Structures are given as C-alpha cells and as structure tokens.
C-alpha cells in the first residue's frame, strides 16, 4: 500500500512539475519576443509546442508541422498585412504568353538588382521545347521560337544592349518595337499605330531591390571602375546635354571614390535610380530639371513608376528569390529547370555602414524607398493570391476525384445488388456476362483500393514543397 501511494505521489509530482515548466515557457514567450536577447528560450517554447501538437495528431500527419519553404527563405510574415489596395486585375497577373507566336518578353535590367543572375536564368534555366543555344565564350545566346528564326526574348543575354546599356522604361518602350520589327507592312504604318500594336505582344519584366542595399552595391561597383558611359539616356528622341546631365568625376572613371564622395554628388544617377528607370521621363521634360520644381518632378516620376510597375507582366524582388521564381512560373506558364537560391552574402551586405550613413542613403533615395515599399506590398499580395488559387485548384481536383470514386463505388454496389435477382430469373446468365460486367470484375480490386484515398487526401493544404538547392552564381 505504501509503495502504491508513493508511486502515485511521484507521478503527481512529475505532472505538476511539467505543468509549471510549460507555464513558465509560455510566460517567457510573452516577456521575450522572437528577436530579443532571450531568443533561445523562445525557441525552447516553440519546441514544446511542436512536440505537443505532433504528439496529439500522431505520426501520420507530421507533414502538417513542417514549415512553408516560401516563408523560410526570407523570414516574411506568415500572415502578411497589406498596406495598399489593388484591383483584381493588378493581383491576378497571368498572361497568355505564346512563345510560338509573336509574343516577346522584354527584360528591363536595372543596375545592381541581381538582374545578371536573373537574366542567366532566362536563357539557361527554363524548360523549353527549343532551349536557348548558349556557347562558351559568347556573351549572347540564341533564343529562337520553335520552328522559327525569331527571338522570343529581348534581354542582355539574348539580343545584347540593343537599345543602349541598361536602357530604362522610356528608352525600351520606344526602341524595342523598331528593333524587333522587320516586316515591311508594319514599317509602313504610323509610329503611334505600330506602338499600339506592339504593346499587345511585348511583356515587360524587371527586378527590384532594397534601395539601401542596391545603392551600396552600386557604389562598390563604381569604386572598382564601373562607369556605364555607354548608356544613351535617350528621351524624346535625343540624349541629354552635358549641362542637363553633368558628370560626377573628371577622369576616365570614378574608381576609388569614398562613400561620402559618392553621396555628395548631386548629379549621381544612383540616387533614386529605380524610380527614374521605371518612369516615363517625357512627363517631366526628360533631363531638363528646370521644367518644374524638384519635389513636383519626383512626385510625377514616382506615380509614373508605380503605374508602369503595375502594368508590367511581371516583376520580382531580389530579397525574395523563391517567390520571384514562383510568380514568374505562374505568370508565363513556364517552368525553371533548377530552383532559385536566396543569397544574402552580397558585396553590399559586407559593408559596415553606421546608422547615420544609412539614414543619409535613405534620404538620398527617398523616392526609391517609397517605390520599393509599394512594390513589395504588390508583390506579396500577388504571391498570396497565386498560392490561394493553387490551393483552391488542388482542392477542386481532390473533390472531383472523390466524386469520380464515389460514382464508381456506387455503380459497383448496384451491380452486386442486381446479381442475385438476375440469377433467380436467369439461372444461366453467369455464362453470358457482358463485356462491361467483365471489366467491372477485372478492376474490382483497384476500385476498393481507390476508395481509401480520401483518408489521406484530406491532409492540410499547407504541405511543404521540396526545398530548393543552391545553384545561383553569387552576384
């Protein structure tokens, strides 16, 4: 009796101890946010949660507790809270891209946004009926349509810098149609009519990046001797004069410049580069800054950039590589061979910048910061909509499969119920089975096994996809 009482008291003590421990972990999570100094304790609490949940569900449903790989790649919130309102057309971005017809993807490559890596994906990493032909030692690849000697891709690695080095929106929308047009009939049409026709077949895409990281990356690139002197900056039919676009340096390049020198140049095109390259510069008099005040000029450019970004067939974000791949594949109904990889160890990330300097960079790139926040919100909302549609379609497929199996099962049960009646009235009917009845008997076992499928079809729809592997070259 004493042994039984001591054993039960021992169990009660363990239960009380466990409850106290769990209560303490819960309280620690309230006192210690996930990014605080007591992060280890927070993870301990998360471990207890996972163990308790998985234990209650059983081993058969462990897939539900796995993390979504799209969340793991960039640390984005599971429940994204939108800040901007977009129309259904803005969010449901799926285009009817016909690679065998006249459609062309035009890549607007903004400096230091990871566009080189993405451009290589376009020519080397897409599953195509007729893959691009890329040869070692050659900078450009041949990307022809199936059965035609016509390119479906206008980019650095397919057509080269045909409209100028890092041509912007203003240049591309006016240059690409004339570069791609080789038909005499279209050449005879007025320019306005031609552009209206071509805009129906040209799908513009681009990549954006966090403004501070992009700015630091461009400074490091210029520091090593990059100039982009070959850029034309054509607007309204001409390039800007030296007085309209002065240079920040007097020599051949600006190599060795300090970050302070880079920030102090008022003519530095690195400032708000993404906003300027995505806007229609003809709305503000091109590079003639005397046409209106600086505040008014940039406000017009920002609204133009937002409008053009919404109207583009696709844009991605450097900080969201996997989501960028997913949205591109959903938009164009094309699939990449190897998955994208999120790389955070860039040259910009290796720069140790004091907080006051980062604040100065944000001020210099005020319009880019606003554009990026807008683009990030639109990007993540598009991702949410695409994932919801994918899950809804998967759910509809499962429901259709269930209905099909129920119909087959009902038909089989009806046949079994009819057999005794037929036997009583027709004793020799078993020797005259129809072909349909023979078929039912032949696949009877498969029907019975298929009926069990709904038990595992009802798994949580947030199941993980196969994780990505490293394959992208470090930029």
């Amino acid at each position: 009796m004493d042994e039984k009482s001591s054993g039960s008291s021992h169990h009660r003590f363990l239960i009380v101890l466990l409850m106290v421990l769990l209560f303490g972990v819960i309280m620690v999570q309230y006192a210690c946010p996930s990014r605080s100094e007591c992060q280890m304790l927070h993870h301990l609490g998360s471990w207890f949660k996972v163990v308790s949940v998985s234990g209650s569900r059983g081993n058969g449903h462990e897939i539900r507790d796995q993390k979504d790989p799209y969340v793991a790649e960039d640390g984005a919130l599971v429940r994204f809270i939108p800040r901007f309102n977009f129309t259904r057309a803005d969010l449901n971005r799926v285009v009817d891209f016909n690679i065998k017809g006249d459609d062309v993807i035009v890549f607007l490559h903004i400096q230091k946004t990871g566009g080189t890596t993405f451009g290589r994906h376009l020519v080397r990493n897409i599953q195509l009926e007729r893959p691009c032909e890329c040869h070692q030692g050659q900078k450009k690849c041949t990307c022809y349509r199936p059965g035609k000697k016509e390119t479906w891709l206008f980019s650095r690695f397919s057509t080269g810098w045909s409209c100028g080095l890092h041509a912007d929106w203003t240049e591309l929308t006016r240059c690409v149609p004339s570069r791609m047009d080789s038909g005499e009939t279209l050449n005879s049409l007025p320019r306005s009519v031609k552009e209206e026709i071509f805009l129906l077949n040209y799908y513009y895409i681009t990549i954006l990046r966090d403004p501070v990281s992009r700015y630091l990356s461009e400074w490091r690139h210029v520091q090593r001797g990059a100039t982009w002197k070959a850029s034309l900056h054509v607007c309204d039919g001409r390039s800007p004069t030296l007085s309209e676009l002065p240079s920040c340096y007097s020599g051949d390049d600006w190599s060795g410049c300090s970050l302070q020198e880079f920030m102090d140049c008022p003519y530095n095109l690195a400032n708000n580069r993404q906003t300027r390259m995505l806007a229609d510069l003809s709305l503000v008099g091109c590079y003639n800054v005397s046409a209106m005040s600086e505040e008014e000029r940039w406000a017009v450019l920002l609204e133009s950039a937002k409008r053009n970004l919404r109207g583009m067939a696709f844009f991605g974000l450097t900080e969201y590589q996997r989501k960028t791949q997913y949205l591109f594949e959903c938009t164009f109904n094309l699939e990449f061979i190897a998955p994208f990889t999120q790389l955070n160890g860039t040259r910009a990330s290796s720069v140790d910048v004091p907080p006051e300097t980062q604040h100065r960079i944000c001020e210099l790139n005020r319009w880019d910061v606003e554009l990026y926040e807008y683009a990030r919100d639109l990007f993540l909302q598009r991702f949410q909509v695409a994932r919801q549609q994918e899950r809804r379609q998967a759910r509809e497929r499962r429901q259709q499969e269930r209905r099909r199996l129920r119909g087959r099962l009902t038909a089989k049960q009806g046949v079994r119920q009819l057999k005794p009646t037929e036997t009583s009235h027709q004793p020799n009917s078993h020797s005259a089975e129809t072909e349909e009845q023979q078929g039912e008997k032949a696949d009877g076992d498969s029907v019975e096994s298929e009926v069990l499928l709904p038990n595992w079809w009802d798994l949580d729809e947030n199941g993980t996809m196969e994780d990505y592997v490293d394959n992208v070259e470090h930029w």
Side-chain angles (χ1 to χ4, degrees), residues 35-198:
R35 296 187 182 276
S36 64
E37 294 179 355
C38 41
Q39 188 173 3
M40 182 175 68
L41 293 178
H42 176 83
H43 289 320
L44 180 62
S46 301
W47 181 82
F48 272 105
K49 283 185 177 180
V50 171
V51 171
S52 62
V53 171
S54 61
S56 62
R57 290 179 178 178
N59 295 331
H61 291 201
E62 288 180 355
I63 189 173
R64 295 186 182 184
D65 300 323
Q66 298 177 9
K67 292 183 178 180
D68 190 327
Y70 293 112
V71 175
E73 67 145 342
D74 46 45
L77 294 176
V78 178
R79 297 295 181 186
F80 167 66
I81 303 176
R83 290 178 50 199
F84 300 93
N85 295 323
F86 297 101
T87 65
R88 185 182 299 272
D90 291 334
L91 299 179
N92 292 316
R93 185 60 71 190
V94 178
V95 301
D96 185 19
F97 179 69
N98 184 9
I99 195 172
K100 295 182 179 180
D102 298 321
D103 296 347
V104 179
I105 293 177
V106 182
F107 181 33
L108 195 164
H109 185 173
I110 302 174
Q111 289 94 318
K112 312 314 295 177
T113 58
T116 298
T117 299
F118 184 78
R120 290 196 180 105
H121 278 304
L122 294 177
V123 297
R124 296 177 180 270
N125 192 28
I126 297 183
Q127 294 181 5
L128 297 171
E129 179 182 341
R130 183 178 183 179
C132 296
E133 297 179 6
C134 303
H135 302 285
Q136 189 175 4
Q138 296 183 1
K139 294 183 179 181
K140 295 188 295 184
C141 303
T142 302
C143 298
Y144 284 155
R145 308 178 191 277
K148 298 181 181 179
K149 286 191 175 182
E150 298 175 1
T151 185
W152 57 269
L153 176 64
F154 193 97
S155 73
R156 166 188 178 182
F157 291 116
S158 58
T159 57
W161 301 113
S162 301
C163 292
L165 180 62
H166 288 285
D168 55 28
W169 172 271
T170 307
E171 294 174 290
L172 285 177
T173 53
R174 290 157 177 77
C175 168
V176 171
S178 61
R179 290 288 183 180
M180 299 296 293
D181 176 22
S182 59
E184 296 181 359
T185 303
L186 289 177
N187 277 327
S188 63
L189 294 175
R191 177 179 176 181
S192 59
V193 177
K194 285 172 57 179
E195 288 183 356
E196 185 176 351
I197 294 174
F198 279 120

Side-chain angles (χ1 to χ4, degrees), residues 293-438:
S293 66
E294 182 178 4
E295 186 77 11
E296 182 182 3
R297 172 186 173 84
W298 279 108
V300 172
L301 290 177
L302 177 62
E303 289 306 312
S304 176
K306 289 180 178 179
R307 183 169 56 252
N308 292 335
L309 194 67
R310 287 196 309 270
M312 278 185 164
F314 162 83
F315 72 89
L317 300 181
T318 307
E319 288 73 24
Y320 299 90
Q321 288 293 309
R322 297 179 184 178
K323 292 181 176 67
T324 294
Q325 175 183 0
Y326 177 82
L327 284 179
F328 181 91
E329 292 176 338
C330 291
T331 301
F332 290 99
N333 195 27
L334 296 171
E335 292 186 3
F336 289 98
I337 301 170
F340 290 12
T341 301
Q342 187 68 47
L343 294 177
N344 296 319
T346 62
R347 294 188 177 95
S349 64
S350 64
V351 180
D352 187 15
V353 181
E356 57 272 16
T357 304
Q358 291 191 27
H359 181 69
R360 174 79 190 286
I361 294 175
C362 286
E363 289 181 338
L364 291 171
N365 293 272
R366 163 191 167 191
W367 305 98
D368 266 12
V369 170
E370 189 170 343
L371 175 66
Y372 183 81
E373 288 302 314
Y374 181 86
R376 179 180 178 272
D377 197 278
L378 175 57
F379 178 85
L380 293 178
Q381 286 196 51
R382 283 182 177 177
F383 176 77
Q384 276 191 341
V385 169
R387 291 276 280 178
Q388 289 169 0
Q389 291 178 345
E390 179 186 34
R391 291 165 180 165
R392 182 167 57 252
Q393 291 169 358
R395 183 166 59 248
E396 291 173 352
R397 287 194 298 269
R398 290 196 299 269
Q399 292 173 349
Q400 291 174 358
E401 188 67 14
R402 291 192 192 103
R403 286 194 292 268
R404 184 184 69 83
L405 291 175
R406 289 194 193 102
R408 294 182 63 183
L409 181 60
T410 302
K412 182 180 179 181
Q413 290 176 346
V415 171
R416 288 176 177 174
Q417 292 174 0
L418 289 174
K419 281 184 177 180
T421 305
E422 293 174 357
T423 304
S424 60
H425 292 283
Q426 299 177 4
N428 298 325
S429 61
H430 64 277
S431 61
E433 291 181 77
T434 63
E435 294 182 2
E436 182 178 357
Q437 291 172 337
Q438 291 176 353

Side-chain angles (χ1 to χ4, degrees), residues 137-300:
Q138 296 183 1
K139 294 183 179 181
K140 295 188 295 184
C141 303
T142 302
C143 298
Y144 284 155
R145 308 178 191 277
K148 298 181 181 179
K149 286 191 175 182
E150 298 175 1
T151 185
W152 57 269
L153 176 64
F154 193 97
S155 73
R156 166 188 178 182
F157 291 116
S158 58
T159 57
W161 301 113
S162 301
C163 292
L165 180 62
H166 288 285
D168 55 28
W169 172 271
T170 307
E171 294 174 290
L172 285 177
T173 53
R174 290 157 177 77
C175 168
V176 171
S178 61
R179 290 288 183 180
M180 299 296 293
D181 176 22
S182 59
E184 296 181 359
T185 303
L186 289 177
N187 277 327
S188 63
L189 294 175
R191 177 179 176 181
S192 59
V193 177
K194 285 172 57 179
E195 288 183 356
E196 185 176 351
I197 294 174
F198 279 120
L199 286 176
L200 297 176
N201 294 326
Y202 290 150
Y203 297 101
Y204 287 84
I205 65 174
T206 193
I207 301 291
L208 298 181
R209 186 180 181 183
D210 171 75
V212 174
S213 298
R214 198 213 65 79
Y215 188 85
L216 290 172
S217 182
E218 180 166 342
W219 162 62
R220 292 294 299 270
H221 199 57
V222 169
Q223 194 181 44
R224 295 192 301 272
T227 62
W228 297 298
K229 284 182 178 179
S231 297
L232 303 176
H233 304 296
V234 174
C235 178
D236 285 350
R238 67 176 183 87
S239 296
T241 63
L242 187 60
S243 61
E244 290 176 329
L245 190 61
S247 177
C248 288
Y249 53 91
S250 56
D252 294 333
D253 55 45
W254 207 6
S255 58
C257 73
S258 65
L259 180 56
Q260 188 63 46
E261 292 173 332
F262 194 74
M263 293 188 297
D264 288 343
C265 178
Y267 319 112
N268 195 343
L269 292 179
N271 300 341
N272 299 300
R273 180 182 289 280
Q274 297 179 103
T275 302
R276 189 188 70 256
M277 291 188 67
L278 288 176
D280 185 355
L281 295 177
S282 62
L283 298 175
V284 295
C286 298
Y287 292 91
N288 180 13
V289 296
S290 63
M292 59 184 71
S293 66
E294 182 178 4
E295 186 77 11
E296 182 182 3
R297 172 186 173 84
W298 279 108
V300 172

